[in-house]
Amino acid sequence: MDRPSSFFVVDSEGSQILREICIINHCGEVVYEALVDEVLADRAQGLKVFPLKQVLENFWRITHGHLVIFHYADHDCRVLRNSCLQVGIPWRLISTQCTIELAKEKYPGLSSYSLEFLSKKFFLKVEGKYFNQESAHRARYDALFTHQLYNFLQDCNGFSKSMNIGINPFSSSRVDTPFQEHVDAKAIYQQQFEQLKAIIKEVRQDKNRQSKGVVVTGIPGSGKTHLMMRLTKEILQINRVLFIRHPNNQESIIYHIYSRILESFIYQIPGTSYSQLEFLLAHSFTKLISQMKNIRLTQKDQHIVDIAQQNPLNIYQLLGTEGTDKKRDYWDHIEKRASEWWTEHYGIGGNSPEIIKGIIKFCRYTERYRQQTTARWLAGQELSEEDLMLLGLSNWHENLGKEGFSLEAISVFSKLSLLDEPLVMVFDQLEVLGLPKNQSLLIGFGEALKEIFTHVPNCLVILNLFPDRWQYFQSHWDSSVVERVGQYHINLDRPDDQLMGQVLMTKADAVGVKLTDIFSEQEITSLLRSPSIRHLINNASKLYSAKANGSGIIPQNFDLGNKNLDFEQRLNLLENGLSDLQAKIYDIGLTLTNFFAPTSQNVSKALIGNPVGKTNQNNEIDADFNFNFFITENQSQQSLEIQVKDFFCQNREILKDDYQKLQIITESDDIGKLKIILEALNSIHSFKTDFLSLGRKRLPEHILIRTAKASTVIAFLHRDGSQFTNYIKNFNQLVSLEKRHQFHLWRDRRQKAITGKVGREEIEKLNNSANGQFQFMEERERVDFELLYLLITAIYNQDIDLEICQAWPIACGELRHNWLVQLLDHG
């Protein structure tokens, strides 16, 4: 209902018969006020007592033909009807609206809808003062507040409509990988987006096809990964986008990079039924054929070229159906030609010819098991004899050096891309490498990048970093790495308020509502003070939830007179203000300390919990900005719990969706994740870590964790074939020798089942030992393990605004059945 141009607000006092009345016009002016009860006269500030009939006649005369607003209209109308009946005045039809019903429509689920509660909740004022219970239940006082309430509810008329969408438009702000789908305000960083595309073009046009590097910097939440998502959406049908999270194991940095590259290659391109690797081969093969100078093309070659020229993906559809001789013959021919091309251009040395063969094997199969098994083989993993026969491959050499093999494999993919388009390698979530304890890992990562630039052509290598982390990285890498990685530098400054407003509007438009139907002008103005895009969206999400629920999170930097706050929240604001003052004094102390400290200490300070604030052009924190932008109406602990639980809830769904996708599962990656988790928790729990050895015998990747109560070895073994058997034999020998420790050997359930007699006997032997156990990492264990790792890295990357010491107790409550939580909490 639109706000009427003329109306009256009426409050009547009396349980059955009218005792007092006040009538206020739409301008808020008292137009009539009267007492009926003699008892009230002495406290009515000079009001006279009038006969009931006269009062009622004046009521009908004034309100005739107008909308009448009551708070609890049923009660007021009942009192007026009873009073008319008593004095013989006929009751007339009256157009009414009830502010209780209107409030229920706008703010369903509130604990109360009394005038006192609503007036306090929405911070209504009469003559500059808030609602006072001692003055309540006087007709004039209640009518004036009812008038204020009615105007307030009319002002937020559109918000209740937006609640019908059932979705918080601002509920998701984090982009974890470039392959995700999020609402994108394309006016943001459009210039930087075009610059990235131009650099890719430079790589393609470079006659030497040398790889180039670009560093994209921005404060936490500025939209670095979101920009990669936009780039991916536009170029994924042409370029291959390879997403690599930070390495976590110093012993296998290049292997980690290659495993994530391979995982990206087997990622299915949205809107198609083909992976990035299948796209690469399809677009490369016709050029591969045309480059072969010493081979006379056959009719079969010409047929493949003809159908591929119409659409490169035709090679997967028009060369015969699965299981037929026709398809086998054509794909054997493609494999032969690809091998001949590689030999002609790059020779027969090393593992490259076999890697080319494996790429063709992956692309020729449509059966998921064969593709998955081929991907594991491409990752340098040993296969069973049964699987080798199924694929027509041979196992890698037992002493295969994973780092050298990985660099060679990356080079093979890049050289194949020379026939297509440049590869785009996106390194993200690198902030953990800036921790002083990970200095050697950082240096190793720099050396790995140097090797990639030296041996891998036709790539754009992108590093997403905080500005201070890039400075820190430069101070630890030699100049040759810095020059190659930092050939281009793109900085994502905070967008101006107009662009920030467009982010909010784009989010609202995506669910079919107007931003101004959700937030008032004052609320939007306060939201636009957010220091980054992520903070802007998170703050909007919290405010939306608060308005939708009628309670909860409120902007701290709103005026204490804001109508969205109740008294309890005002007290919280005052208390929080004192905390802010303490925090700012602490920040000043740290700043002074860092001014006189070495540069590395400055960086360390930023990593261990520097609050994220508004930055100036030099990316320095603006001390005048209020970091604690939002608080809850309960204790701050509730806010922390909400953050962690929401983080787990959102990421659990993502991990469950990804669980069934093709993934490269490695022991080095799992042990690296466990190391990162344990290092983060070392300041919270009292434990020590170590490693065990068995002479020159090879053991599964493992960590020994010593707590006050127990000594436990956690190991991972995802290998197959004879390697599995040899490793578990050595592990069992270690278990029998080290009886003081408990041993847990984990194997991901998605790996191939152990069917060999000796392997199964060794599993049984381990389970029958007094201090050993073989355990399958089922979906729940895998998801929980990944959640812990993601939580730690998200805190390091400042994706969520809390410290590890704050998050861990909440995580323990959420994941109380997790094996690692139980080990550290009860071990």
Side-chain angles (χ1 to χ4, degrees):
M1 177 183 294
D2 295 331
R3 184 201 301 269
S5 59
S6 178
F7 60 88
F8 290 99
V9 176
V10 175
D11 184 78
S12 65
E13 297 296 332
S15 58
Q16 296 298 324
I17 303 298
L18 186 66
R19 296 186 302 163
E20 181 182 3
I21 193 170
C22 182
I23 303 175
I24 295 175
N25 66 16
H26 66 278
C27 296
E29 301 166 342
V30 176
V31 296
Y32 183 72
E33 188 176 11
L35 295 174
V36 177
D37 193 335
E38 291 278 2
V39 177
L40 296 176
D42 59 349
R43 63 182 182 92
Q45 299 178 349
L47 288 182
K48 295 181 180 180
V49 178
F50 293 94
L52 178 58
K53 185 175 182 179
Q54 181 182 344
V55 171
L56 292 171
E57 288 174 343
N58 286 332
F59 165 77
W60 288 117
R61 177 179 54 81
I62 295 171
T63 62
H64 177 69
H66 292 277
L67 175 68
V68 181
I69 311 300
F70 298 100
H71 190 76
Y72 196 8
D74 287 348
H75 169 76
D76 288 281
C77 288
R78 184 173 61 251
V79 170
L80 290 169
R81 186 184 293 110
N82 290 341
S83 300
C84 286
L85 181 62
Q86 179 167 316
V87 297
I89 295 178
W91 178 254
R92 309 169 190 174
L93 290 178
I94 183 172
S95 176
T96 67
Q97 192 167 6
C98 177
T99 50
I100 286 182
E101 297 304 318
L102 189 59
K104 287 181 178 179
E105 178 187 343
K106 307 293 186 182
Y107 296 94
L110 296 184
S111 58
S112 172
Y113 290 92
S114 69
L115 185 61
E116 177 187 2
F117 179 87
L118 295 175
S119 297
K120 289 181 177 179
K121 175 165 190 58
F122 301 128
F123 253 83
L124 306 181
K125 288 182 179 181
V126 170
E127 297 178 353
K129 297 181 179 179
Y130 299 109
F131 193 94
N132 187 338
Q133 177 60 32
E134 294 182 0
S135 301
H137 302 299
R138 291 300 316 279
R140 179 189 181 98
Y141 193 80
D142 287 3
L144 287 169
F145 271 100
T146 301
H147 181 269
Q148 293 292 321
L149 176 61
Y150 179 71
N151 284 334
F152 172 80
L153 295 173
Q154 287 292 336
D155 286 340
C156 62
N157 183 52
F159 187 73
S160 62
K161 296 178 182 177
S162 70
M163 294 300 95
N164 295 330
I165 60 178
I167 300 171
N168 185 333
F170 316 100
S171 60
S172 179
S173 64
R174 293 180 63 248
V175 181
D176 298 294
T177 79
F179 305 120
Q180 291 179 343
E181 292 283 337
H182 289 272
V183 176
D184 187 16
K186 294 192 176 180
I188 305 294
Y189 303 135
Q190 184 61 24
Q191 180 180 348
Q192 292 86 341
F193 174 68
E194 295 297 336
Q195 188 176 353
L196 283 172
K197 290 200 299 180
I199 299 172
I200 296 173
K201 185 177 180 180
E202 285 185 29
V203 175
R204 182 175 65 249
Q205 294 177 341
D206 182 357
K207 63 179 181 179
N208 296 315
R209 303 296 280 271
Q210 287 188 324
S211 294
K212 299 184 183 298
V214 57
V215 176
V216 179
T217 57
I219 64 170
S222 58
K224 298 182 292 295
T225 312
H226 192 106
L227 183 61
M228 299 303 112
M229 181 196 74
R230 184 188 305 171
L231 186 69
T232 300
K233 281 184 178 180
E234 178 156 327
I235 70 172
L236 196 56
Q237 296 278 346
I238 300 173
N239 299 91
R240 311 284 72 82
V241 178
L242 313 172
F243 180 69
I244 305 108
R245 292 186 175 93
H246 71 85
N248 50 38
N249 191 332
Q250 188 177 341
E251 305 302 320
S252 55
I253 293 176
I254 300 181
Y255 183 59
H256 168 88
I257 293 172
Y258 171 56
S259 298
R260 303 290 74 79
I261 286 175
L262 183 57
E263 205 164 67
S264 294
F265 265 123
I266 63 180
Y267 171 79
Q268 183 174 312
I269 295 177
T272 77
S273 56
Y274 301 106
S275 66
Q276 292 206 76
L277 186 52
E278 288 166 310
F279 262 70
L280 175 62
L281 179 65
H283 285 80
S284 301
F285 190 75
T286 53
K287 296 177 183 177
L288 179 154
I289 291 290
S290 67
Q291 283 190 3
M292 300 181 67
K293 301 176 181 178
N294 301 324
I295 302 296
R296 182 178 179 181
L297 298 184
T298 65
Q299 186 176 357
K300 192 173 289 186
D301 291 315
Q302 194 59 52
H303 178 62
I304 297 173
V305 171
D306 289 344
I307 66 170
Q309 285 178 341
Q310 298 171 15
N311 181 354
L313 297 176
N314 281 344
I315 67 172
Y316 303 116
Q317 299 173 346
L318 303 180
L319 295 180
T321 57
E322 188 68 25
T324 63
D325 290 339
K326 179 182 178 181
K327 181 170 183 178
R328 277 192 294 270
D329 288 344
Y330 269 110
W331 277 95
D332 286 345
H333 187 75
I334 290 174
E335 184 177 319
K336 178 174 179 290
R337 285 291 188 247
S339 297
E340 290 170 342
W341 168 81
W342 183 268
T343 301
E344 182 179 312
H345 286 80
Y346 302 105
I348 59 173
N351 297 302
S352 298
E354 288 299 300
I355 294 170
I356 282 288
K357 185 186 296 184
I359 291 172
I360 307 300
K361 296 284 187 187
F362 179 91
C363 294
R364 73 183 289 173
Y365 296 128
T366 57
E367 182 188 346
R368 177 184 172 86
Y369 178 77
R370 292 194 191 212
Q371 282 197 329
Q372 187 173 31
T373 307
T374 307
R376 287 170 43 224
W377 182 87
L378 282 170
Q381 298 178 12
E382 184 184 32
L383 303 182
S384 66
E385 291 299 326
E386 179 185 1
D387 285 338
L388 292 172
M389 291 181 62
L390 180 68
L391 301 176
L393 294 169
S394 302
N395 265 328
W396 302 105
H397 192 276
E398 184 178 355
N399 296 320
L400 177 71
K402 287 291 183 69
E403 292 293 271
F405 165 80
S406 299
L407 184 61
E408 185 177 4
I410 297 171
S411 178
V412 169
F413 283 107
S414 71
K415 290 172 181 175
L416 186 59
S417 77
L418 288 168
L419 301 172
D420 185 27
E421 294 287 335
L423 303 177
V424 179
M425 293 186 189
V426 179
F427 289 86
D428 201 7
Q429 303 175 8
L430 300 173
E431 275 62 41
V432 67
L433 298 181
L435 294 172
K437 59 188 174 186
N438 287 333
Q439 188 175 117
S440 58
L441 185 61
L442 172 63
I443 294 172
F445 176 57
E447 292 301 309
L449 289 176
K450 182 194 295 185
E451 293 295 321
I452 288 174
F453 276 108
T454 302
H455 299 284
V456 179
N458 202 42
C459 292
L460 176 63
V461 178
I462 301 175
L463 269 63
N464 288 339
L465 286 166
F466 299 163
D468 59 348
R469 303 308 195 274
W470 173 229
Q471 295 174 8
Y472 182 74
F473 283 17
Q474 291 179 82
S475 68
H476 287 79
W477 286 346
D478 65 50
S479 59
S480 62
V481 179
V482 174
E483 289 172 3
R484 296 299 298 272
V485 172
Q487 286 172 283
Y488 300 90
H489 185 190
I490 297 175
N491 188 58
L492 304 185
D493 293 319
R494 181 189 182 276
D496 60 33
D497 285 356
Q498 182 178 358
L499 289 174
M500 294 284 270
Q502 287 190 30
V503 173
L504 294 179
M505 286 190 288
T506 302
K507 285 277 192 178
D509 290 344
V511 295
V513 297
K514 293 182 179 180
L515 184 64
T516 52
D517 285 345
I518 301 175
F519 300 133
S520 68
E521 183 178 344
Q522 182 186 12
E523 290 166 340
I524 293 173
T525 299
S526 282
L527 287 170
L528 293 181
R529 299 175 189 169
S530 302
S532 70
I533 295 175
R534 182 188 299 144
H535 279 76
L536 172 74
I537 299 172
N538 287 345
N539 292 341
S541 175
K542 294 172 183 178
L543 181 57
Y544 181 95
S545 297
K547 294 179 67 133
N549 299 327
S551 61
I553 304 165
I554 300 298
Q556 182 188 338
N557 62 342
F558 279 2
D559 187 355
L560 290 180
N562 189 316
K563 297 178 182 180
N564 283 325
L565 303 181
D566 60 28
F567 279 137
E568 183 178 356
Q569 290 161 342
R570 282 187 75 212
L571 290 175
N572 281 334
L573 290 182
L574 294 172
E575 292 173 358
N576 214 61
L578 294 175
S579 298
D580 284 345
L581 181 59
Q582 290 178 324
K584 287 179 179 178
I585 292 173
Y586 176 74
D587 286 340
I588 292 170
L590 282 177
T591 302
L592 292 173
T593 301
N594 287 328
F595 181 78
F596 297 102
T599 302
S600 60
Q601 292 184 23
N602 295 340
V603 176
S604 303
K605 173 245 180 174
L607 282 163
I608 61 173
N610 192 34
V612 181
K614 190 172 183 179
T615 59
N616 57 28
Q617 292 180 350
N618 297 320
N619 294 302
E620 298 166 342
I621 293 177
D622 183 351
D624 292 330
F625 187 80
N626 191 341
F627 296 123
N628 298 320
F629 188 76
F630 282 95
I631 64 168
T632 61
E633 65 178 347
N634 296 319
Q635 296 179 354
S636 59
Q637 181 63 24
Q638 180 182 357
S639 176
L640 298 176
E641 290 176 359
I642 290 172
Q643 283 193 69
V644 176
K645 289 178 180 179
D646 285 351
F647 180 87
F648 278 173
C649 182
Q650 293 175 14
N651 283 281
R652 180 176 279 110
E653 293 306 311
I654 294 172
L655 291 169
K656 285 182 177 179
D657 289 341
D658 290 344
Y659 186 80
Q660 299 303 329
K661 296 177 181 178
L662 294 181
Q663 294 184 21
I664 306 300
I665 303 165
T666 65
E667 297 136 8
S668 60
D669 192 45
D670 278 346
I671 206 70
K673 289 174 180 175
L674 182 58
K675 286 179 183 177
I676 294 292
I677 295 171
L678 292 174
E679 287 171 355
L681 299 177
N682 204 24
S683 60
I684 302 174
H685 290 277
S686 178
F687 64 84
K688 294 182 179 180
T689 59
D690 203 349
F691 302 92
L692 301 176
S693 63
L694 192 63
R696 294 186 177 181
K697 292 184 178 181
R698 294 184 176 180
L699 293 168
E701 295 269 15
H702 69 276
I703 294 179
L704 171 62
I705 305 171
R706 301 177 189 269
T707 67
K709 298 180 180 178
S711 180
T712 307
V713 174
I714 303 297
F716 301 95
L717 186 55
H718 304 315
R719 301 165 186 260
D720 291 332
S722 60
Q723 285 190 8
F724 175 86
T725 304
N726 293 334
Y727 275 71
I728 194 172
K729 276 185 177 180
N730 295 340
F731 193 75
N732 275 331
Q733 186 176 349
L734 184 68
V735 171
S736 64
L737 291 174
E738 298 283 355
K739 298 187 183 299
R740 54 185 174 162
H741 308 309
Q742 290 294 318
F743 290 81
H744 296 269
L745 182 60
W746 288 94
R747 180 177 178 83
D748 194 282
R749 174 62 84 176
R750 292 166 293 181
Q751 297 296 91
K752 182 178 173 62
I754 303 301
T755 57
K757 179 182 177 182
V758 178
R760 294 179 67 84
E761 287 176 350
E762 292 296 327
I763 291 174
E764 187 176 354
K765 180 179 179 181
L766 179 57
N767 283 331
N768 288 334
S769 65
N771 60 325
Q773 188 174 7
F774 180 87
Q775 294 171 285
F776 281 110
M777 187 174 281
E778 306 286 355
E779 179 178 356
R780 177 179 176 179
E781 283 85 5
R782 168 59 68 180
V783 169
D784 286 353
F785 180 60
E786 298 292 342
L787 280 175
L788 286 175
Y789 178 67
L790 288 176
L791 178 65
I792 298 298
T793 54
I795 293 172
Y796 283 144
N797 297 330
Q798 298 183 28
D799 290 334
I800 51 178
D801 300 329
L802 70 170
E803 301 295 329
I804 291 171
C805 60
Q806 297 170 314
W808 179 248
I810 305 168
C812 290
E814 291 293 297
L815 306 177
R816 64 182 64 89
H817 301 298
N818 176 262
W819 56 271
L820 183 56
V821 169
Q822 291 184 342
L823 173 63
L824 295 179
D825 268 13
H826 308 295

